[in-house]
Amino acid sequence: MSADLTEKNRPGLLRSSAVVGTMTMLSRVLGLARDVILAAVIGASANADAFFIAFKIPNFLRRLFAEGAFAQAFVPVLAECREEGGQAAVRALIDRVAGVLGGVLFLLTALTLLAAPLVAGLFAPGYIAQPEKFALTADLIRITFPYLMLISLTGMCGAILNSYGRFAVPAFTPVLLNLSLIGASLLAAPYFAEPAFALAWGVLFAGFIQLLFQMPFLYRLDLVPRPRWEPGHPGVRQVMTLMIPALFGVSVSQLNLLFDTVLASFLPTGSVSWLYYSDRLTELPLGVFAIAVATVIMPTLAGHKSAAREEDYSKTLDWAVRSVLLVGVPASLALLILAEPILISLFHYGALSERDIAMSALSLRAYTLGLCAFMLIKVLAPGFYARQDMVTPVRIGIRAMVANMVLNVIFVVPLMFYFGIGHVGLALATSLSAFLNAGLLWKGLLREGVYQFDPLWRRYLIRLAIACACMGAALAVVTPEQGLWLDWHWRQRAMTIVGLCMVGLAVYLSVLWVAGLRLAELRAPAPVAPKAGSDSDASA
């Protein structure tokens, strides 16, 4: 089948972002349902901490490959190959990259299975003093870690589909992980003496299903990978050259979160779980919108760079920044105001106690302070990677990482010893270091002349500030007190939280409209159409 894409049939960025955002919203909603069930089944116990560590390790590395460094390195090389070499060259590149990536990850997986206790000690050294908890963590890692290889290959397949405009398929794929874990919790967990093992097997099963799900859509493009081990292939070497520094640069926020997990293993039991539940809520706007926008602008930026359209490059970045702030600022404000009601409505059932809710709310607010920074990092980093500049984000990432470590010491020690909430210090340090990271990325793009502010930014910010202030005031007035939430049945909680969200959304959008913001201002520059050799369908 022809895989060619024309200017006429290529979807616009706003439409593509909506497609990815809709699919990702479905995934995140199911993810919340999954976490509600996990909270009821394992709560914030020691065994829950062990599972979250075992799940976080491959999941963290997944973000490097599926959503981060690999995609940022592979997509520009693939775009260049399509521009200059045609379909045969694209197939050759895909086969060699799949072979090298799969081979390296297979070796890493085998070593990890043999050395699971060492891996557990590396990522959760605080558990070593708790032999049962440490042994459980190592056993769970042996089950969950192979997920890394499967989901990384899935991420590669998704990057190919995204490059050909088929954004819906990769965006839907995470839904399968949530369905698998929900099924494992409800159907398999009752048959296990330790429910955490059922959840671990659910993670592994999801990896196989997610990879197989991509294959029919790649087959329609005649791009199903046929792995070939050829690390000396020029395209493979170029991807590896770009990917190695990007492993650090694009994923500093994730490295910070992982570093938080290591430190949290030394804190009281439940700290890892509290951070997990609060982080999951901040990931909803991050995943639904910021990652969606970053996903669709990457091929477009790479195309603008290949065609030397610098003005279009800048306009695309500016649209992405304005778009994520339009969602990120009100989302942050809403999470700050509604932290306890949301956590109670979602998680205060079964094994999760009222104290767990209070602790999770504190770390949720700390993470929320950095939500806009996390979102900006997702859309600013592609501005460097699409130009194959991997060095600048690495330098910025190192500075942000050092700042995070210093801030951890500044916040965690006093908060732990004086208030018993050391986990909040971890979240707060992560948020502040994310602002440093985003600010330096933004400054770098401006300094290089790659990105320029739209003249309408001042008016845009005034509208945004007024709309957010009105929304925050409305939510503060109409939100019931916490005691009522604790007493209500889950149906009353759900109806009330949905009603509050609708009130906040209505006020926010109404004020934006009155202030003069129109949909036409949100439309993105038309994406570039590559040369003959590719076929696309945004809703495949």
Side-chain angles (χ1 to χ4, degrees):
M1 169 181 286
S2 171
D4 225 356
L5 195 63
T6 65
E7 184 71 36
K8 180 179 179 180
N9 65 17
R10 185 178 180 92
L13 290 182
L14 187 59
R15 177 189 167 194
S16 298
S17 297
V19 170
V20 177
T22 300
M23 294 296 102
T24 309
M25 171 64 83
L26 175 60
S27 173
R28 298 295 175 171
V29 169
L30 282 174
L32 285 178
R34 175 196 80 191
D35 293 333
V36 168
I37 295 171
L38 291 181
V41 173
I42 59 177
S45 63
N47 292 348
D49 285 352
F51 169 73
F52 289 136
I53 290 289
F55 182 42
K56 187 180 287 287
I57 294 171
N59 208 39
F60 157 73
L61 294 172
R62 169 190 71 84
R63 290 177 181 176
L64 295 184
F65 289 101
E67 296 169 2
F70 175 77
Q72 305 290 15
F74 179 59
V75 170
V77 176
L78 182 62
E80 186 177 290
C81 186
R82 291 174 63 196
E83 189 81 15
E84 300 176 357
Q87 186 77 352
V90 168
R91 281 197 295 267
L93 173 66
I94 290 172
D95 292 347
R96 272 71 181 178
V97 170
V100 174
L101 178 65
V104 170
L105 290 175
F106 179 82
L107 178 61
L108 177 61
T109 299
L111 292 174
T112 300
L113 295 184
L114 293 174
L118 293 178
V119 176
L122 176 65
F123 287 94
Y127 292 177
I128 296 176
Q130 307 172 61
E132 292 185 3
K133 190 174 184 179
F134 182 76
L136 177 60
T137 303
D139 289 340
L140 292 173
I141 288 173
R142 290 190 176 96
I143 301 173
T144 60
F145 198 86
Y147 177 73
L148 169 62
M149 180 177 66
L150 298 168
I151 198 59
S152 296
L153 291 173
T154 301
M156 175 192 163
C157 296
I160 297 169
L161 291 170
N162 285 336
S163 294
Y164 283 81
R166 297 180 181 264
F167 297 106
V169 177
F172 177 81
T173 301
V175 169
L176 302 175
L177 170 64
N178 294 324
L179 292 176
S180 180
L181 281 173
I182 290 172
S185 300
L186 297 178
L187 302 178
Y191 296 97
F192 284 77
E194 173 48 62
F197 281 108
L199 302 178
W201 286 112
V203 171
L204 182 58
F205 177 75
F208 286 102
I209 298 301
Q210 287 176 301
L211 180 58
L212 292 174
F213 176 70
Q214 309 273 328
M215 293 300 114
F217 303 97
L218 289 172
Y219 178 79
R220 291 171 60 184
L221 295 171
D222 193 23
L223 293 175
V224 174
R226 298 168 178 83
R228 302 285 190 275
W229 177 264
E230 192 177 328
H233 184 274
V236 173
R237 295 175 63 182
Q238 188 177 5
V239 171
M240 292 176 65
T241 300
L242 296 174
M243 181 178 173
I244 291 173
L247 281 170
F248 191 91
V250 77
S251 302
V252 167
S253 62
Q254 297 305 321
L255 289 168
N256 286 339
L257 290 173
L258 190 64
F259 186 58
D260 290 352
T261 302
V262 172
L263 294 180
S265 69
F266 291 98
L267 298 177
T269 294
S271 295
V272 171
S273 300
W274 300 331
L275 290 169
Y276 173 82
Y277 292 124
S278 53
D279 177 48
R280 287 293 299 166
L281 288 177
T282 58
E283 283 190 358
L284 183 61
L286 177 65
V288 168
F289 203 74
I291 293 176
V293 171
T295 298
V296 300
I297 68 169
M298 186 62 190
T300 303
L301 289 173
H304 286 323
K305 177 62 174 65
S306 297
R309 285 191 277 266
E310 296 298 328
E311 184 178 353
D312 290 338
Y313 197 98
S314 175
K315 288 181 178 179
T316 300
L317 278 174
D318 189 72
W319 170 81
V321 171
R322 286 185 287 110
S323 296
V324 297
L325 290 180
L326 192 69
V327 173
V329 176
S332 300
L333 183 58
L335 284 172
L336 285 171
I337 296 172
L338 301 176
E340 284 88 358
I342 292 174
L343 286 164
I344 292 170
S345 300
L346 292 174
F347 302 131
H348 188 45
Y349 310 98
L352 206 67
S353 68
E354 186 174 336
R355 177 174 179 270
D356 294 328
I357 293 294
M359 290 296 188
S360 298
L362 292 173
S363 53
L364 172 58
R365 288 194 170 94
Y367 276 140
T368 297
L369 293 176
L371 177 59
C372 286
F374 294 136
M375 297 178 76
L376 286 172
I377 290 170
K378 291 295 182 183
V379 298
L380 291 174
F384 292 94
Y385 295 117
R387 301 172 65 86
Q388 301 187 19
D389 176 6
M390 305 296 166
V391 176
T392 303
V394 170
R395 292 174 178 168
I396 292 173
I398 291 173
R399 295 169 68 178
M401 178 64 70
V402 172
N404 183 65
M405 294 177 180
V406 173
L407 290 170
N408 274 327
V409 175
I410 294 174
F411 292 131
V412 173
V413 174
L415 287 175
M416 184 66 231
F417 284 98
Y418 290 103
F419 303 101
I421 53 172
H423 69 293
V424 178
L426 295 174
L428 188 58
T430 299
S431 293
L432 293 180
S433 65
F435 270 108
L436 176 62
N437 191 358
L440 291 176
L441 287 172
W442 210 341
K443 181 180 178 181
L445 291 170
L446 290 169
R447 183 178 61 248
E448 294 179 12
V450 176
Y451 171 63
Q452 297 178 352
F453 285 108
D454 187 282
L456 300 178
W457 258 96
R458 180 178 179 182
R459 185 172 65 184
Y460 172 82
L461 290 175
I462 293 174
R463 291 169 174 169
L464 183 63
I466 294 173
C468 287
C470 293
M471 183 201 74
L475 289 177
V477 170
V478 301
T479 301
E481 62 180 15
Q482 183 175 335
L484 294 175
W485 293 91
L486 293 170
D487 294 336
W488 282 340
H489 186 268
W490 72 267
R491 290 189 182 87
Q492 180 67 31
R493 294 174 180 174
M495 292 175 60
T496 306
I497 201 68
V498 169
L500 288 173
C501 291
M502 296 301 293
V503 167
L505 181 63
V507 171
Y508 179 65
L509 294 179
S510 298
V511 174
L512 283 177
W513 177 266
V514 172
L517 185 66
R518 297 295 183 266
L519 183 62
E521 298 179 47
L522 304 179
R523 292 197 177 98
V528 66
K531 290 180 180 179
S534 56
D535 185 12
S536 173
D537 182 351
S539 59

